[in-house]
Amino acid sequence: MKLMSSVNFPLHLQDKIFEIRYDSDNSILKITSYFPFSESEKQEIHSILDDPVFDGFHSIFSDFVDEDEWNRTKDQIKKRFRDELVDIDKI
C-alpha cells in the first residue's frame, strides 16, 4: 500500500471522503465516506492505493445514492453534518 503522502485521490473521490485514518506507518487504515462507495469506486481506490485487498471502507450513512442524487444534495449533506458536529462540540 502506498503512503498517504504519495496518494492523490481524484476530485470525484475526494469529494465523497469524510475522513482518512492512518496507521502508525502512515499507511491508510480506514477511509470513511459520507455514503458507501460503489464497487467501481472501491476498485478505483484499490488501484490508487496499489492494494487489491484493502477493506478499510466505512461510511457515515448506510443508504446508497447514485451520482445524480449525490451531486444534487452533497453540499446540503456536508453542511448539515458539519453543523451537527459543531453543535456536539458546544455541548
Side-chain angles (χ1 to χ4, degrees):
M1 179 185 295
K2 294 180 182 179
L3 296 179
M4 184 54 201
S5 60
S6 65
V7 175
N8 290 313
F9 289 108
L11 288 176
H12 71 277
L13 292 175
Q14 287 179 24
D15 193 37
K16 296 179 178 184
I17 295 173
F18 171 72
E19 177 182 55
I20 298 174
R21 294 272 173 122
Y22 306 93
D23 203 344
S24 59
D25 66 356
N26 203 32
S27 60
I28 295 177
L29 181 65
K30 178 179 176 181
I31 299 174
T32 303
S33 56
Y34 290 94
F35 293 96
F37 286 118
S38 68
E39 286 305 313
S40 63
E41 290 169 331
K42 287 181 181 180
Q43 291 303 318
E44 186 176 2
I45 292 170
H46 285 148
S47 177
I48 292 167
L49 296 179
D50 194 24
D51 184 353
V53 296
F54 175 78
D55 66 350
F57 296 107
H58 300 271
S59 61
I60 296 168
F61 305 108
S62 60
D63 298 347
F64 284 92
V65 296
D66 62 26
E67 281 300 310
D68 289 337
E69 186 175 359
W70 170 249
N71 288 326
R72 192 175 63 254
T73 62
K74 67 184 177 185
D75 293 334
Q76 178 184 3
I77 290 167
K78 288 178 176 184
K79 181 183 181 327
R80 182 173 178 203
F81 196 76
R82 281 191 302 265
D83 290 349
E84 287 178 11
L85 283 177
V86 169
D87 287 342
I88 289 171
D89 289 343
K90 291 179 181 178
I91 296 175

